[in-house]
Amino acid sequence: PVLWEDADLEDPIYSVSCTDTTDYIHWQCELLEYSWKQVGQTGELSRLVARKDDQPVPDHRYTKVISTPFTNIHPDTGDRYAPYNRLFSFKKWLDEGDQNGTVFILDPDCVFRKRVSNRVKPGAPIAQRWRGFGVGPNMRKAIGKISGIDLELLQDVTWPALVHTDDLQIGRAS
């Protein structure tokens, strides 16, 4: 299920999407997998699936499926926010694996039109600009409380994005 031929094994590209278990998302992931295979994308295609214990784990032919716990509640603040699932899924994937290289973060409704070969260094991600999105004062306050980052560094970006695994590790120096 992994296309490592022609891949740079010293600096691989991990194509990763975070999902739930709905049928609607599953067909999107099937199309993503098909397009990934068609363009000959090297590296690994992974689907991080946030699911409850009673939900089945989806199956794919070429995609590495990783089951992650479903939660929308932040452990420190107790607030509910649906995108927390993505953060916790990435944390589990990184904590339980030995990935080192470029992560191509995708939504399940993305498709590959050509092979992606760009790699990024720690501290130098590349992402799609998010036009019309602004980080409001409440979100800035929450981000500052949770992360402690310099809020002036926030940028309006979205997926797809290329990020180095070092930048996804909390507390890990780059």
Side-chain angles (χ1 to χ4, degrees), residues 53-97:
D53 289 338
D54 61 338
Q55 295 174 313
V57 177
D59 187 34
H60 293 279
R61 186 170 183 183
Y62 300 105
T63 304
K64 182 177 183 181
V65 179
I66 296 127
S67 176
T68 65
F70 177 86
T71 183
N72 291 333
I73 301 172
H74 194 280
D76 295 334
T77 65
D79 66 311
R80 289 183 181 273
Y81 182 54
Y84 284 150
N85 262 328
R86 182 185 304 257
L87 301 175
F88 298 132
S89 293
F90 267 107
K91 181 171 180 3
K92 180 175 181 184
W93 178 67
L94 290 164
D95 287 349
E96 295 183 1

Side-chain angles (χ1 to χ4, degrees), residues 6 12 57 73 145 151 158 170:
D6 301 327
V57 177
I73 301 172
K145 182 178 178 182
L151 297 178
T158 189
I170 295 174

Side-chain angles (χ1 to χ4, degrees), residues 89-139:
S89 293
F90 267 107
K91 181 171 180 3
K92 180 175 181 184
W93 178 67
L94 290 164
D95 287 349
E96 295 183 1
D98 61 353
Q99 302 86 351
N100 185 31
T102 297
V103 181
F104 189 34
I105 303 173
L106 303 160
D107 271 338
D109 61 354
C110 291
V111 294
F112 284 86
R113 294 180 57 216
K114 65 180 183 177
R115 183 186 288 197
V116 174
S117 59
N118 299 52
R119 287 168 174 76
V120 295
K121 302 279 185 218
I126 300 171
Q128 172 71 36
R129 286 213 178 275
W130 193 344
R131 303 237 186 256
F133 177 78
V135 180
N138 289 341
M139 188 179 288

